[in-house]
Amino acid sequence: MTIQKIREQVLDLTEEERWELIDILMKSLRTKPPLAIKNRGIAASLVGIAKTDAPAPTDEEVKAILETRLLQK
């Protein structure tokens, strides 16, 4: 049976029958295993990659690191 034929037949149903059909379809979809996890973007997969147990540097430490880096250039 094609989707077009199903559409035509569904439109011939009463409102109550259509709601019953919706209920049947929803139940049939709930019993299916979940779809595979969608592929995340590269940036999302890198979140937390550089995580350490050390606390984050203070503003002063960041400024010192930047100054040192600029002097190296």
Side-chain angles (χ1 to χ4, degrees), residues 49-65:
I49 196 168
K51 187 175 182 179
T52 67
D53 293 332
T58 63
D59 288 344
E60 292 79 25
E61 291 172 327
V62 171
K63 286 178 186 176
I65 293 169

Side-chain angles (χ1 to χ4, degrees), residues 23-49:
D23 186 49
I24 292 167
L25 291 170
M26 293 297 290
K27 285 178 182 174
S28 74
L29 291 171
R30 283 189 207 119
T31 61
K32 302 282 183 195
L35 296 176
I37 297 173
K38 292 190 178 185
N39 196 6
R40 298 181 333 183
I42 292 173
S45 66
L46 295 176
V47 171
I49 196 168

Side-chain angles (χ1 to χ4, degrees), residues 3-41:
I3 194 74
Q4 183 59 35
K5 287 221 180 248
I6 293 171
R7 270 192 201 123
E8 291 169 5
Q9 290 181 354
V10 165
L11 293 176
D12 289 337
L13 297 174
T14 65
E15 184 177 346
E16 185 178 323
E17 290 170 328
R18 283 190 247 165
W19 280 112
E20 186 177 346
L21 178 60
I22 289 171
D23 186 49
I24 292 167
L25 291 170
M26 293 297 290
K27 285 178 182 174
S28 74
L29 291 171
R30 283 189 207 119
T31 61
K32 302 282 183 195
L35 296 176
I37 297 173
K38 292 190 178 185
N39 196 6
R40 298 181 333 183

